[in-house]
Each structure stands twice: as structure tokens, then as C-alpha cells.
């Protein structure tokens, strides 16, 4: 895997030295923005030039349009592995730095494919898209960019009380850069910026069952223990901090674990999780250019604007959790689903599905399929648990196969995946996904 990253680095360096403008196409979520930032910062530091696009999904038509662009190197970040057949037709040099399940098509000689699945490494937990991108620049002595790769890994929910696989190597590089500190602390978000009850409600990973996504419950929780809820965590008395820590650990022991901290950074993004949340909010609110500018080093007014986006995003999340608590999910035999046409819920339904599973808002024995209508199409966001994956569920394969049956497209990881289908196919799609998940579970039971 590291050797493949070095191959990609050699291609990248060749085009930087040739003074070529390098074309970057990346996903528009926190991992994708971080991935593009890693590649772009490396190019910039080597006095190179780039042109970047951040998009919600890669389509065959998008790749066809690239044939008309006059670039000598195309870099796909956090996407591309499912479209190697189409990417092979780009007759210029290509780097694909991805971590999603790849197609069965083998890349041609001019395509350097960096993907953990090619080396039997789990791309849903051991390496993110930004991590794959980091491996493409690591040989240029870019250990400081490992920090941004970890920001993307947090965005992809790959931190689970520790990093595993290749992410551990990236973590060591980040620490060795001399900029990242790791120490035990309460992992509630925005401790320096938000009133305490909001920090608790906004904390998604690790989740706090009964508090995450519920401002009123968080306020009541603090009132009952006699802790001031309206001030920031860092303004609490030491005794109050100890009381709070003890009570939160009872809810989820993982809430007190490693904090990843860059002391020289602006307060709002000193914690890598907080940094990731800001990039995620920019992506969800269609302010990807703003998120990218933060990823490559802009601060000041840009960071203030990004924090505003974060506040808007969190407001939408709180309303989304209220909606789930009120409406719940519709259960079929082997899946459950959410459906919304609300403009504010459309971009966050995948987050609601994943976090909702982790705080017991849904049946943990059935994958959650979130559906959002976009005019004539429906965007699908599927989430399940590690336990269900062990029992045979693979959402990436299920959503890829079922969406193609209706002229759509999909894919992703076993634990989290997405798709797009025509609106008219909604009911038949859900029935087919339900059947496919049942089949996956039955096959696993027989094996």
C-alpha cells in the first residue's frame, strides 16, 4: 500500500516539476475536502499549480467531460475507484486516491490506483480518502499534512476509540511532525465556543445516548447535577468538571479518551474533531469553496464564515433529531427507512441515520436507509452497525446492485453507502434492498 502511494507520488512530482497545472476532482464532504486539501497543499508547497473541483458524486458524464479538459494529470480524491473502466479512457496520467469499494476493472498503465481494498485493507475503518491522498504525498516529506488526513478520517467516522490500520501510521507521522498533541480529555465538541448544554447535544462521536441531538435533555441533565449549563466547559470550576466527567463516563466510557490537538491553531479548530465538523458543515451547506480554503490554510474572516456554517448545520441537525424522535423510521422485514422532501433534512439524512443508530433511536438489527427527494431523483444514504456487518450486511454492494437495477448508481462501504435512483423507483427499490439484505444475512448464516 505504501509502495503504491510512492508510485503515485512519483507521478505527482513529475508533473509538478514539468510545471503542469494539476486537475483535482474530489468529494464535497469533510473527508473529500481534506483529501483535496492534502494534495493541493503539497502541490502548493512544491511551487506547483492546481485546479480543483469538489462535487457531491462522480458520474460517468463528469468523467466524459474531463476528456475535453487540457490537463496532463488528473487526481481523483475520495472517489473514482468504482469508475476505473471509464477513467482508463482518460489518456493522460491519472491518480485515483480513494477508499471505497473498487470495481473489478483493472487500471491501465497510465492510471495509478491507491485504494486500501486492493491490498485487503478495510477502507471503512483503516484508511480514509484523505488518508489515501496523504500516502500520495508522504514521500515528499509532508508529515505535517498527516494532520489534515486525520481530520478527514474523523469526518469519515473512522475513529472508534482509537485509529486502526494505515490510520495508525498516519497518526505517527502527525505526531512526529511536532505539531499534533494527543492527551486524555473529555471529547465534547466546541468546549471553547459553545455553552455546555449545546456542546453535549452537538457531540456525535462518541455519542451520548439521551443527550446527543437533544438540547432540552442536555440542559436538564446538567441542571439535575447542579452544574452550570449556560457557560462554556472551560469556565467551569474544577469540581464541576470532575462531576460532569464522572456522569458522562457512565453514559459512554469513550467520552473520556484521546483528544487530538494542535496548540498553534485557531481555537475553533485546535481539536481535529472540531476542524472536521467545520469542513463537514461547509460541505453540507454547499460552501465547499469555503471549506477548501480552510483546509489549505485560510483563517480570519474565512474561518469566521465557516463557523457560521457550522452553527447553521448544527441547528438543522437538532431539528432533524426532533423529527426522528417524533416520526421514527418505517420498518420493513430486514431494513428500516426514513424519507424526507424537506430542504434542510436532505443534506443531513445520512448523518441522522448513522448517529441515530448509535444513540438507540433506531432498531440496531436493521440497516437504516435514508431517502431524500431531489426533483426527479432520490438520494440514498445507507447506514448500519459493525455488528450487522459481521452478520453479513454489505451496504456498498447492496446499494450498488439495487440502484443499477433502476438505472441509478451507488456504492460505498459495507457499513455506510449511498446511491441515486429515479423517484418513480422508490418503493420497488426499497423492496429490492430489503430482499438483498435478507439474502446477505441468509448467506452468512449458511456459511
Amino acid at each position: 500500500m505504501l509502495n503504491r502511494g510512492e508510485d503515485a507520488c512519483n507521478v505527482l512530482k513529475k508533473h509538478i516539476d514539468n510545471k503542469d497545472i494539476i486537475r483535482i476532482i474530489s468529494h464535497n464532504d469533510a473527508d473529500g475536502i481534506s483529501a483535496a486539501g492534502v494534495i493541493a497543499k503539497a502541490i502548493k508547497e512544491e511551487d506547483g499549480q492546481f485546479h480543483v473541483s469538489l462535487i457531491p458524486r462522480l458520474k460517468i458524464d463528469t468523467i466524459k467531460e474531463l476528456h475535453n479538459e487540457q490537463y496532463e494529470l488528473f487526481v481523483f480524491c475520495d472517489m473514482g475507484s468504482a469508475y476505473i473502466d471509464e477513467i482508463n479512457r482518460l489518456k493522460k496520467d491519472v491518480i485515483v486516491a480513494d477508499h471505497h469499494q473498487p470495481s473489478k476493472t483493472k487500471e491501465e498503465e497510465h492510471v495509478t490506483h491507491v485504494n486500501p481494498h486492493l491490498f485487503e485493507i478495510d477502507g471503512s475503518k483503516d484508511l480514509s480518502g484523505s488518508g489515501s491522498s496523504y500516502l500520495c504525498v508522504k514521500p515528499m516529506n509532508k508529515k505535517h499534512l498527516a494532520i489534515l488526513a486525520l481530520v478527514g478520517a474523523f469526518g469519515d467516522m473512522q475513529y472508534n476509540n482509537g485509529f486502526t490500520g494505515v490510520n495508525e501510521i498516519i497518526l505517527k507521522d502527525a505526531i512526529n511532525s511536532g505539531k499534533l498533541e494527543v492527551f486524555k480529555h473529555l471529547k465534547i465538541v466546541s468546549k471553547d465556543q459553545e455553552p455546555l448544554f449545546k456542546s453535549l447535544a452537538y457531540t456525535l462521536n462518541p455519542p451520548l445516548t439521551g443527550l446527543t441531538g437533544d438540547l432540552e435533555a442536555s440542559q436538564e441533565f446538567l441542571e439535575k447535577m447542579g452544574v452550570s449549563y449556560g457557560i462554556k466547559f472551560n469556565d467551569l470550576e474544577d469540581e464541576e468538571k470532575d462531576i460532569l466527567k464522572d456522569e458522562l463516563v457512565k453514559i459512554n466510557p469513550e467520552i473520556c479518551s484521546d483528544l487530538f490537538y494542535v496548540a498553534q491553531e485557531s481555537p475553533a479548530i485546535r481539536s481535529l474533531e472540531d476542524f472536521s465538523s467545520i469542513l463537514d458543515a461547509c460541505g453540507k451547506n454547499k460552501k465547499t469553496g469555503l471549506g477548501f480554503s480552510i483546509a489549505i490554510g485560510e483563517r480570519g474572516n474565512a474561518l469566521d464564515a465557516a463557523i457560521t456554517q457550522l452553527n447553521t448545520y448544527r441547528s438543522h441537525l437538532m431539528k432533524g433529531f426532533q423529527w426522528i424522535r417524533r416520526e421514527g423510521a418505517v420498518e420493513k422485514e430486514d431494513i428500516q427507512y426514513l424519507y424526507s422532501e424537506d430542504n434542510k433534512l436532505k443534506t443531513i439524512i445520512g448523518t441522522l441515520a448513522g448517529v441515530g443508530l448509535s444513540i438507540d433511536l433506531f432498531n440496531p438489527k436493521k440497516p437504516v436507509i435514508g431517502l431524500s427527494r431531489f426533483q426527479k431523483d432520490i438520494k440514498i444514504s445507507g447506514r448500519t452497525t459493525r455488528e450487522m456487518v459481521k452478520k453479513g450486511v454489505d451496504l456498498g454492494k447492496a446499494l450498488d446492485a439495487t440502484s443499477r437495477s433502476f438505472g441509478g448508481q451507488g456504492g460505498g462501504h459495507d457499513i455506510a453507502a449511498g446511491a441515486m435512483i429515479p423517484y418513480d423507483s422508490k418503493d420497488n427499490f426499497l423492496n429490492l434492498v430489503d430482499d438483498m439484505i435478507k439474502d446477505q444475512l441468509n448467506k452468512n448464516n449458511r456459511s
Side-chain angles (χ1 to χ4, degrees):
M1 183 75 208
L2 296 178
N3 289 339
R4 184 65 60 85
E6 188 167 356
D7 291 342
C9 186
N10 291 335
V11 174
L12 186 60
K13 195 70 170 66
K14 179 185 78 173
H15 287 280
I16 294 172
D17 292 343
N18 287 344
K19 306 298 181 185
D20 295 327
I21 300 173
I22 294 163
R23 185 71 166 98
I24 304 170
I25 304 97
S26 191
H27 197 197
N28 67 345
D29 64 0
D31 189 20
I33 294 171
S34 299
V38 165
I39 298 292
K41 283 192 77 171
I43 294 170
K44 186 178 178 183
E45 290 169 5
E46 297 296 312
D47 296 323
Q49 300 179 79
F50 59 85
H51 172 196
V52 64
S53 296
L54 300 165
I55 58 177
R57 71 195 64 85
L58 188 61
K59 301 178 182 177
I60 293 174
D61 287 346
T62 306
I63 300 171
K64 288 180 179 177
E65 289 170 5
L66 295 177
H67 284 276
N68 299 320
E69 297 188 5
Q70 301 302 309
Y71 295 96
E72 297 301 315
L73 173 63
F74 295 89
V75 182
F76 293 89
C77 301
D78 195 29
M79 53 175 50
S81 289
Y83 294 93
I84 295 299
D85 187 43
E86 291 78 15
I87 286 173
N88 278 340
R89 297 187 188 116
L90 290 168
K91 295 307 177 186
K92 303 295 184 177
D93 284 343
V94 181
I95 295 171
V96 176
D98 197 1
H99 68 130
H100 297 97
Q101 292 173 348
S103 68
K104 295 179 181 179
T105 304
K106 183 171 175 55
E107 65 277 359
E108 293 184 4
E109 190 174 346
H110 65 288
V111 179
T112 307
H113 191 186
V114 183
N115 186 306
H117 291 283
L118 301 176
F119 303 91
E120 298 184 351
I121 298 168
D122 191 337
S124 71
K125 62 185 179 70
D126 293 333
L127 189 65
S128 66
S130 52
S132 290
S133 297
Y134 171 70
L135 296 184
C136 298
V137 304
K138 172 179 162 70
M140 292 187 209
N141 192 24
K142 302 292 181 184
K143 287 184 178 178
H144 57 289
L145 295 182
I147 294 172
L148 189 54
L150 294 178
V151 170
F154 277 113
D156 202 60
M157 306 295 280
Q158 295 205 356
Y159 181 85
N160 185 18
N161 202 27
F163 283 117
T164 59
V166 185
N167 282 329
E168 287 188 277
I169 297 172
I170 296 173
L171 174 58
K172 288 177 183 176
D173 282 357
I175 294 171
N176 290 337
S177 75
K179 296 185 177 183
L180 181 70
E181 302 173 56
V182 183
F183 51 86
K184 296 288 183 185
H185 207 284
L186 276 180
K187 292 173 71 70
I188 56 176
V189 302
S190 300
K191 291 190 291 289
D192 298 332
Q193 287 77 44
E194 294 288 354
L196 186 53
F197 77 102
K198 289 188 176 181
S199 287
L200 296 181
Y202 295 159
T203 297
L204 308 182
N205 188 28
L208 294 166
T209 301
L211 303 179
T212 292
D214 195 329
L215 292 166
E216 187 175 329
S218 295
Q219 185 173 326
E220 291 175 357
F221 169 78
L222 294 166
E223 286 178 331
K224 283 181 181 178
M225 72 176 71
V227 172
S228 304
Y229 68 83
I231 64 174
K232 298 179 181 69
F233 173 83
N234 290 338
D235 294 330
L236 293 176
E237 299 293 335
D238 288 343
E239 184 180 353
E240 289 182 307
K241 289 180 180 178
D242 290 339
I243 292 171
L244 177 62
K245 174 184 172 183
D246 290 343
E247 292 302 315
L248 291 177
V249 166
K250 290 178 185 176
I251 297 173
N252 187 343
E254 293 178 10
I255 196 65
C256 187
S257 58
D258 287 340
L259 184 71
F260 299 79
Y261 197 79
V262 181
Q264 308 98 306
E265 263 294 4
S266 301
I269 55 174
R270 282 177 184 157
S271 160
L272 297 196
E273 286 113 312
D274 288 348
F275 196 154
S276 176
S277 294
I278 282 179
L279 296 187
D280 188 40
C282 289
K284 293 290 196 308
N285 289 334
K286 299 181 180 180
K287 301 292 183 181
T288 51
L290 178 62
F292 179 74
S293 72
I294 303 298
I296 62 172
E298 290 289 328
R299 299 294 182 262
N301 291 338
L303 184 55
D304 290 342
I307 292 170
T308 298
Q309 295 301 318
L310 177 62
N311 291 335
T312 300
Y313 171 56
R314 283 173 168 169
S315 175
H316 293 166
L317 276 178
M318 295 306 106
K319 291 176 182 176
F321 285 119
Q322 287 178 355
W323 169 62
I324 290 174
R325 288 187 173 94
R326 184 176 66 249
E327 302 291 338
V330 180
E331 292 203 34
K332 296 177 76 66
E333 191 170 349
D334 287 284
I335 66 168
Q336 56 199 318
Y337 70 90
L338 310 166
Y339 175 72
S340 178
E341 297 185 3
D342 184 281
N343 287 329
K344 293 177 181 178
L345 294 177
K346 286 177 181 179
T347 59
I348 62 171
I349 203 159
T351 302
L352 294 174
V355 177
L357 272 172
S358 67
I359 59 174
D360 301 330
L361 294 183
F362 303 121
N363 182 348
K365 296 181 179 179
K366 296 180 180 181
V368 181
I369 308 297
L371 303 98
S372 308
R373 185 173 182 180
F374 289 80
Q375 297 178 337
K376 295 181 179 180
D377 293 318
I378 287 184
K379 180 183 177 183
I380 312 295
S381 299
R383 301 291 186 271
T384 191
T385 63
R386 288 283 170 205
E387 188 62 31
M388 293 306 294
V389 169
K390 289 177 183 176
K391 291 182 177 180
V393 170
D394 189 326
L395 284 176
K397 290 180 179 177
L399 295 189
D400 177 40
T402 50
S403 61
R404 289 178 187 273
S405 297
F406 301 102
Q409 59 187 78
H413 305 297
D414 49 14
I415 197 168
M420 288 289 288
I421 60 167
Y423 171 74
D424 293 343
S425 305
K426 171 176 166 283
D427 292 338
N428 290 332
F429 170 83
L430 287 168
N431 290 334
L432 189 55
V433 173
D434 195 40
D435 289 342
M436 183 160 286
I437 296 299
K438 181 201 297 288
D439 187 53
Q440 289 180 344
L441 292 169
N442 288 339
K443 282 183 179 176
N444 187 66
N445 289 336
R446 291 195 298 268
S447 62

